Amino acid sequence: AFQQIALAPDRSNVAVVMADGSGVLQIQTKALQYGTIRQLTAFKGMSYDPAWSPQGDKIAFVGTDSGSDEIYLVSIDGSIVQQLTSNSNLWDKHLSWSPDGSQLVFYSNREGDRRQLWIMNADGSGQRNLSNNAYEDWDPIWVP
């Protein structure tokens, strides 16, 4: 299962996972006051696991356009999409922002086919295995 909804920090919008006209799951925002919907992604593969940045200016999410589950950022108007991770046939998913918005924690199976907690800077740099153990670790949530 994946995260399908995320509330904006100012509680005015939600990021939702909804199918586009072709039936592909995309990240969309819905204004809670007016109900207006804006599609932010237009991937051929599905997009899911949205997480608003603490500042409310970006949404991190997982996309499958490359053939594997990778982490991306999209601006809240949809004009800028940036891929943060790149691993063939592996998973990088279920991300959570640090309270100051400078880092993301997520899980990945890129080392030894076991799920481990990873951390990276918000621009995708500095990716490192945080849990680094022989066990399965997944679905992190960064608590302020």
Side-chain angles (χ1 to χ4, degrees):
F2 53 81
Q3 182 170 311
Q4 297 184 46
I5 191 166
L7 186 61
D10 67 2
R11 301 182 178 278
S12 64
N13 290 278
V14 290
V16 293
V17 176
M18 292 187 341
D20 62 13
S22 300
V24 178
L25 295 178
Q26 304 289 351
I27 304 299
Q28 304 187 33
T29 58
K30 181 177 182 180
L32 295 177
Q33 184 174 3
Y34 302 107
T36 54
I37 295 173
R38 172 182 280 174
Q39 183 174 319
L40 300 184
T41 60
F43 285 13
K44 292 180 183 135
M46 70 176 173
S47 301
Y48 64 95
D49 275 357
W52 287 87
S53 66
Q55 295 80 12
D57 60 338
K58 295 177 220 139
I59 298 171
F61 66 96
V62 176
T64 64
D65 249 16
S66 69
S68 58
D69 297 60
E70 303 293 354
I71 297 174
Y72 295 82
L73 284 180
V74 63
S75 57
I76 59 166
D77 64 1
S79 65
I80 301 168
V81 178
Q82 177 186 4
Q83 185 173 347
L84 300 182
T85 64
S86 181
N87 303 287
S88 59
N89 299 317
L90 299 173
W91 308 329
D92 292 332
K93 54 174 67 181
H94 197 89
L95 46 114
S96 181
W97 287 90
S98 64
D100 67 1
S102 67
Q103 295 182 305
L104 289 157
V105 65
F106 58 100
Y107 84 80
S108 178
N109 67 339
R110 64 175 83 170
E111 284 184 358
D113 262 354
R114 68 187 184 286
R115 293 172 288 191
Q116 295 283 280
L117 302 185
W118 284 70
I119 192 167
M120 68 178 160
N121 296 324
D123 65 1
S125 66
Q127 296 181 25
R128 65 183 173 89
N129 187 330
L130 187 62
S131 52
N132 202 21
N133 64 51
Y135 305 100
E136 294 272 346
D137 297 315
W138 65 93
D139 293 354
I141 298 175
W142 204 313
V143 179

